Amino acid sequence: MIYDASLDELLQKVWNGARINGADALRLFHLPLEELGTLADHRRQLAKAKAYNGRGNEIVTFNVDRNVNYTNVCNVYCKFCAFYRVEKDDDSYVISHAEMDQKIAETLALGGTQILMQGGHHPKLTKQWYLDMLSHIKNKWPQVNIHGFSPSEFVHFRDVFNEPLEKIIRDFKSAGLGSIPGGGGEILVDRVRQRVAPLKAMSNDWLEVMDIAHRLGLYSSATMMFGHVETIEDRIEHLERLRVQQDTSLNRVTEYNGLGVKPAHFTAFIGWTFQAEHTKLKAPTVGAHEYLRTQALSRIYLDNFENIQSSWVTQGLEIGQVALKFGANDLGSIMIEENVVSQTGTTFRMTVPDMQRLIKDLGYEPHQRDNWYRLVN
Ligand code: SF4
């Protein structure tokens, strides 16, 4: 075997916590899995060392929330989606205030703190419908965080309401929106987006929504759905675009002078694998090995993201647990209701005791958290 001093230098650079570039990332991706995992685990320790009064590396967090998909009517027809319906389908729906109340009451009874409110791109719902729903929830359930509307939904609202994004996000925030999920990120490379979801927001639109939201003080998450038609280089470009946006958002936080609204940033990154069943996208998905490899690389590349969530929803409980040794520090949510991934036939279930057991078995202390990664109770 030929000794390669430059690889040693790269490994040392990662171990020291230094920023890597795309070429570095490509090299790291092909390391033996356990070596990549060790590096990612070390970077997780560096990222969380100061959290929770210095106990960030003893703790693994989880969330209790409910996925409320307010409508399944959608005119975007993404090829990887098994959830959408058209209006005339017998099983199309738009949720009522009463149905929403029932779902929130059940969520609170299970110790939940938030609803993740996302839906199809309904061509006819008006801005007032959304504002009424947000105000209704906020007035009736002020203790619940509304984590709602992915960037592609906001881009859809811009086109349907014919208003600037900033005005819509501002008005939604005033009506009760608390934070924004990073759904619809898929792969932030337009060539890939054109192939899997040509009618959906493109990369710059997705990032623009996040930039405006952060500027208006709304925190958000970031996601990546991989393992379909993209290349490894595309995944790395996706991570690069997120890292650049996070730098911009964090710089704004650093420069904040105490006047006006305090800016926000991405709280966390979540990567998951494409689930092919019942979708129109003819692409082979990837397994646990590549999932762990990609998540580990994400932890190393996204050096300005404190939190990385593992994805038990697509990978199952055991791989979700193992992912905590590949850079993740959070097990996501128990997801009291999940309607989108389950439409593909992937239906893993998790309870709070399951979460606690999986975390304890790895030697960590389980703690419930809220959307901002503050410990609950
Ligand atoms: S992923 Fe979202 S935008 Fe795409 S078809 Fe499904 S519901 Fe519509």
Side-chain angles (χ1 to χ4, degrees):
M1 189 190 278
I2 300 168
Y3 172 67
D4 182 350
S6 69
L7 182 59
D8 269 1
E9 280 169 26
L10 173 57
L11 300 184
Q12 192 61 53
K13 183 166 141 183
V14 174
W15 194 261
N16 294 343
R19 177 161 282 197
I20 62 166
N21 62 28
D24 295 336
L26 203 51
R27 271 189 104 180
L28 291 176
F29 188 81
H30 297 292
L31 283 179
L33 182 63
E34 61 281 10
E35 279 183 38
L36 185 55
T38 302
L39 290 172
D41 190 48
H42 180 67
R43 292 290 287 247
R44 169 226 198 267
Q45 290 176 37
L46 296 181
K48 294 300 293 183
K50 292 186 185 149
Y52 311 129
N53 296 323
R55 299 191 60 235
N57 285 313
E58 296 161 39
I59 289 171
V60 166
T61 46
F62 62 92
N63 193 8
V64 178
D65 74 356
R66 181 171 198 151
N67 214 345
V68 178
N69 298 110
Y70 56 89
T71 180
N72 61 352
V73 175
C74 187
N75 61 4
V76 174
Y77 320 121
C78 298
K79 292 179 190 161
F80 54 80
C81 179
F83 171 71
Y84 72 82
R85 299 290 184 272
V86 293
E87 248 183 313
K88 64 176 178 354
D89 284 337
D90 290 342
D91 55 350
S92 69
Y93 69 85
V94 176
I95 203 171
S96 67
H97 287 194
E99 287 165 326
M100 179 64 89
D101 286 345
Q102 191 189 339
K103 287 174 187 292
I104 294 177
E106 289 167 3
T107 305
L108 290 173
L110 287 167
T113 58
Q114 151 173 299
I115 54 164
L116 167 54
M117 188 174 163
Q118 297 184 112
H121 295 24
H122 195 300
K124 293 189 187 148
L125 289 182
T126 62
K127 184 177 180 188
Q128 200 56 50
W129 184 91
Y130 292 94
L131 295 179
D132 287 348
M133 181 61 89
L134 288 167
S135 309
H136 169 77
I137 298 169
K138 211 61 217 172
N139 290 333
K140 188 156 184 178
W141 314 97
Q143 70 275 48
V144 171
N145 179 48
I146 308 173
H147 188 52
F149 312 111
S150 62
S152 60
E153 286 167 273
F154 276 111
V155 171
H156 167 73
F157 300 153
R158 178 192 66 191
D159 298 340
V160 173
F161 307 159
N162 199 21
E163 283 185 355
L165 282 169
E166 178 157 347
K167 173 157 177 47
I168 298 166
I169 296 172
R170 222 181 254 286
D171 291 348
F172 274 39
K173 186 182 178 206
S174 299
L177 181 64
S179 53
I180 293 185
E186 335 303 6
I187 294 287
L188 292 170
V189 175
D190 284 354
R191 181 182 47 76
V192 176
R193 299 179 82 78
Q194 291 288 1
R195 282 189 65 192
V196 301
L199 300 179
K200 206 169 185 174
M202 289 291 129
S203 311
N204 286 347
D205 292 324
W206 192 96
L207 289 160
E208 185 187 358
V209 171
M210 290 308 192
D211 189 64
I212 295 171
H214 293 171
R215 196 153 40 76
L216 297 179
L218 285 170
Y219 287 81
S220 74
S221 54
T223 63
M224 172 165 72
M225 185 193 68
F226 60 95
H228 39 92
V229 303
E230 86 290 352
T231 61
I232 307 304
E233 287 84 350
D234 291 330
R235 289 182 210 169
I236 294 169
E237 185 174 334
H238 177 99
L239 296 175
E240 169 67 15
R241 297 216 68 185
L242 292 179
R243 193 170 74 178
V244 168
Q245 178 58 55
Q246 181 78 322
D247 276 345
T248 303
S249 299
L250 287 172
N251 283 341
R252 218 181 266 134
V253 174
T254 306
E255 287 161 10
Y256 174 62
N257 59 7
L259 299 173
V261 180
K262 186 169 184 205
H265 53 83
F266 291 118
T267 53
F269 170 81
I270 313 119
W272 61 76
T273 51
F274 164 60
Q275 305 298 302
E277 285 288 302
H278 309 306
T279 75
K280 293 199 172 85
L281 186 59
K282 300 290 172 242
T285 190
V286 294
H289 189 275
E290 188 145 340
Y291 165 70
L292 292 172
R293 189 174 281 289
T294 304
Q295 188 199 266
L297 187 68
S298 307
R299 164 58 86 186
I300 296 167
Y301 203 90
L302 295 175
D303 54 14
N304 50 8
F305 279 65
E306 185 177 326
N307 300 296
I308 305 283
Q309 263 183 44
S310 76
S311 174
W312 65 267
V313 177
T314 55
Q315 291 297 315
L317 277 57
E318 286 74 20
I319 298 299
Q321 179 193 42
V322 171
L324 295 170
K325 288 291 181 190
F326 284 77
N329 59 287
D330 185 274
L331 205 42
S333 170
I334 68 162
M335 285 205 189
I336 297 162
E337 178 181 351
E338 199 292 315
N339 303 305
V340 178
V341 175
S342 57
Q343 291 287 321
T344 66
T346 303
T347 52
F348 296 112
R349 289 273 172 263
M350 182 91 95
T351 63
V352 168
D354 287 335
M355 285 264 183
Q356 291 169 329
R357 177 183 57 77
L358 292 172
I359 293 168
K360 275 187 195 157
D361 284 354
L362 275 188
Y364 294 110
E365 219 177 277
H367 275 279
Q368 187 181 342
R369 61 150 175 95
D370 66 11
N371 180 64
W372 296 271
Y373 285 76
R374 298 174 302 206
L375 302 186
V376 173
N377 302 326

Short mmCIF file of all heavy atoms in Angstrom, two decimals, residues 244-266:
data_model
loop_
_atom_site.label_atom_id
_atom_site.label_comp_id
_atom_site.label_asym_id
_atom_site.label_seq_id
_atom_site.Cartn_x
_atom_site.Cartn_y
_atom_site.Cartn_z
N VAL A 244 -23.17 28.01 3.38
CA VAL A 244 -23.03 29.42 3.00
C VAL A 244 -24.19 30.23 3.58
O VAL A 244 -24.01 31.31 4.15
CB VAL A 244 -22.96 29.57 1.46
CG1 VAL A 244 -23.12 31.01 1.03
CG2 VAL A 244 -21.65 29.00 0.94
N GLN A 245 -25.41 29.69 3.47
CA GLN A 245 -26.57 30.42 4.01
C GLN A 245 -26.46 30.56 5.53
O GLN A 245 -26.76 31.61 6.09
CB GLN A 245 -27.88 29.70 3.64
CG GLN A 245 -29.13 30.38 4.20
CD GLN A 245 -29.26 31.81 3.75
OE1 GLN A 245 -29.25 32.09 2.55
NE2 GLN A 245 -29.39 32.75 4.68
N GLN A 246 -26.00 29.48 6.17
CA GLN A 246 -25.87 29.55 7.64
C GLN A 246 -24.81 30.58 8.03
O GLN A 246 -24.99 31.31 9.00
CB GLN A 246 -25.52 28.15 8.19
CG GLN A 246 -25.39 28.08 9.70
CD GLN A 246 -26.73 28.05 10.43
OE1 GLN A 246 -27.68 28.73 10.06
NE2 GLN A 246 -26.79 27.29 11.50
N ASP A 247 -23.72 30.67 7.28
CA ASP A 247 -22.72 31.72 7.56
C ASP A 247 -23.36 33.10 7.49
O ASP A 247 -23.15 33.95 8.36
CB ASP A 247 -21.58 31.65 6.53
CG ASP A 247 -20.51 30.61 6.89
OD1 ASP A 247 -20.50 30.15 8.05
OD2 ASP A 247 -19.70 30.27 6.01
N THR A 248 -24.15 33.32 6.43
CA THR A 248 -24.82 34.61 6.26
C THR A 248 -25.74 34.90 7.45
O THR A 248 -25.73 36.00 8.03
CB THR A 248 -25.66 34.61 4.96
OG1 THR A 248 -24.79 34.30 3.88
CG2 THR A 248 -26.35 35.93 4.71
N SER A 249 -26.53 33.90 7.81
CA SER A 249 -27.50 34.10 8.90
C SER A 249 -26.79 34.30 10.24
O SER A 249 -27.19 35.16 11.03
CB SER A 249 -28.45 32.90 8.97
OG SER A 249 -29.16 32.77 7.75
N LEU A 250 -25.73 33.54 10.48
CA LEU A 250 -25.02 33.68 11.76
C LEU A 250 -24.28 35.02 11.82
O LEU A 250 -24.18 35.63 12.90
CB LEU A 250 -24.04 32.51 11.95
CG LEU A 250 -24.70 31.17 12.28
CD1 LEU A 250 -23.67 30.04 12.25
CD2 LEU A 250 -25.40 31.18 13.62
N ASN A 251 -23.76 35.49 10.69
CA ASN A 251 -23.10 36.81 10.68
C ASN A 251 -24.09 37.90 11.06
O ASN A 251 -23.76 38.84 11.78
CB ASN A 251 -22.53 37.12 9.29
CG ASN A 251 -21.23 36.38 9.06
OD1 ASN A 251 -20.60 35.92 10.01
ND2 ASN A 251 -20.85 36.23 7.80
N ARG A 252 -25.31 37.74 10.58
CA ARG A 252 -26.35 38.72 10.91
C ARG A 252 -26.60 38.71 12.43
O ARG A 252 -26.80 39.75 13.04
CB ARG A 252 -27.62 38.33 10.16
CG ARG A 252 -28.41 39.49 9.63
CD ARG A 252 -29.66 38.99 8.94
NE ARG A 252 -29.51 38.81 7.52
CZ ARG A 252 -29.92 37.74 6.84
NH1 ARG A 252 -30.48 36.72 7.45
NH2 ARG A 252 -29.77 37.67 5.56
N VAL A 253 -26.60 37.52 13.01
CA VAL A 253 -26.80 37.40 14.46
C VAL A 253 -25.65 38.10 15.18
O VAL A 253 -25.85 38.86 16.15
CB VAL A 253 -26.88 35.92 14.89
CG1 VAL A 253 -26.94 35.79 16.40
CG2 VAL A 253 -28.07 35.23 14.23
N THR A 254 -24.42 37.88 14.71
CA THR A 254 -23.24 38.48 15.37
C THR A 254 -23.31 40.01 15.28
O THR A 254 -22.92 40.70 16.23
CB THR A 254 -21.95 37.99 14.66
OG1 THR A 254 -21.99 36.56 14.64
CG2 THR A 254 -20.70 38.44 15.37
N GLU A 255 -23.80 40.51 14.16
CA GLU A 255 -23.83 41.96 13.96
C GLU A 255 -25.05 42.63 14.60
O GLU A 255 -25.15 43.86 14.60
CB GLU A 255 -23.81 42.28 12.46
CG GLU A 255 -22.44 42.02 11.83
CD GLU A 255 -22.51 41.88 10.32
OE1 GLU A 255 -23.59 42.16 9.74
OE2 GLU A 255 -21.50 41.47 9.73
N TYR A 256 -25.95 41.84 15.13
CA TYR A 256 -27.19 42.40 15.70
C TYR A 256 -26.84 43.35 16.84
O TYR A 256 -26.07 43.01 17.74
CB TYR A 256 -28.05 41.24 16.20
CG TYR A 256 -29.29 41.65 16.94
CD1 TYR A 256 -30.29 42.39 16.31
CD2 TYR A 256 -29.48 41.30 18.28
CE1 TYR A 256 -31.44 42.76 17.00
CE2 TYR A 256 -30.63 41.66 18.96
CZ TYR A 256 -31.60 42.39 18.32
OH TYR A 256 -32.74 42.76 19.00
N ASN A 257 -27.43 44.53 16.79
CA ASN A 257 -27.06 45.57 17.78
C ASN A 257 -28.12 45.77 18.85
O ASN A 257 -28.11 46.78 19.56
CB ASN A 257 -26.78 46.89 17.05
CG ASN A 257 -28.01 47.36 16.28
OD1 ASN A 257 -29.08 46.76 16.40
ND2 ASN A 257 -27.86 48.41 15.49
N GLY A 258 -29.05 44.84 18.95
CA GLY A 258 -30.06 44.95 20.00
C GLY A 258 -31.28 45.74 19.57
O GLY A 258 -32.25 45.83 20.33
N LEU A 259 -31.25 46.31 18.37
CA LEU A 259 -32.40 47.08 17.90
C LEU A 259 -33.22 46.23 16.93
O LEU A 259 -32.68 45.48 16.13
CB LEU A 259 -31.94 48.35 17.18
CG LEU A 259 -31.13 49.34 18.02
CD1 LEU A 259 -30.60 50.47 17.15
CD2 LEU A 259 -31.99 49.89 19.16
N GLY A 260 -34.52 46.35 17.01
CA GLY A 260 -35.38 45.62 16.08
C GLY A 260 -35.42 44.13 16.39
O GLY A 260 -35.05 43.69 17.49
N VAL A 261 -35.85 43.38 15.40
CA VAL A 261 -36.04 41.93 15.59
C VAL A 261 -34.69 41.22 15.59
O VAL A 261 -33.86 41.44 14.70
CB VAL A 261 -36.90 41.35 14.45
CG1 VAL A 261 -37.10 39.86 14.63
CG2 VAL A 261 -38.24 42.06 14.39
N LYS A 262 -34.47 40.35 16.57
CA LYS A 262 -33.22 39.59 16.60
C LYS A 262 -33.25 38.54 15.48
O LYS A 262 -34.19 37.76 15.37
CB LYS A 262 -33.06 38.90 17.95
CG LYS A 262 -31.73 38.23 18.06
CD LYS A 262 -31.40 37.76 19.43
CE LYS A 262 -29.98 37.21 19.40
NZ LYS A 262 -29.71 36.25 20.42
N PRO A 263 -32.22 38.53 14.61
CA PRO A 263 -32.23 37.55 13.51
C PRO A 263 -32.05 36.12 14.01
O PRO A 263 -31.59 35.90 15.13
CB PRO A 263 -31.05 37.98 12.64
CG PRO A 263 -30.37 39.10 13.32
CD PRO A 263 -31.06 39.40 14.61
N ALA A 264 -32.39 35.17 13.13
CA ALA A 264 -32.33 33.75 13.50
C ALA A 264 -31.44 33.00 12.50
O ALA A 264 -30.82 33.61 11.62
CB ALA A 264 -33.75 33.17 13.50
N HIS A 265 -31.41 31.69 12.63
CA HIS A 265 -30.55 30.86 11.78
C HIS A 265 -31.10 29.44 11.75
O HIS A 265 -32.12 29.15 12.38
CB HIS A 265 -29.10 30.89 12.29
CG HIS A 265 -28.99 30.54 13.75
ND1 HIS A 265 -28.95 29.24 14.20
CD2 HIS A 265 -28.93 31.32 14.86
CE1 HIS A 265 -28.85 29.24 15.51
NE2 HIS A 265 -28.85 30.47 15.95
N PHE A 266 -30.40 28.53 11.06
CA PHE A 266 -30.81 27.13 11.07
C PHE A 266 -30.50 26.54 12.45
O PHE A 266 -29.39 26.70 12.97
CB PHE A 266 -30.03 26.32 10.03
CG PHE A 266 -30.35 26.65 8.59
CD1 PHE A 266 -29.38 27.15 7.75
CD2 PHE A 266 -31.62 26.40 8.07
CE1 PHE A 266 -29.66 27.42 6.41
CE2 PHE A 266 -31.91 26.67 6.73
CZ PHE A 266 -30.93 27.19 5.91
#
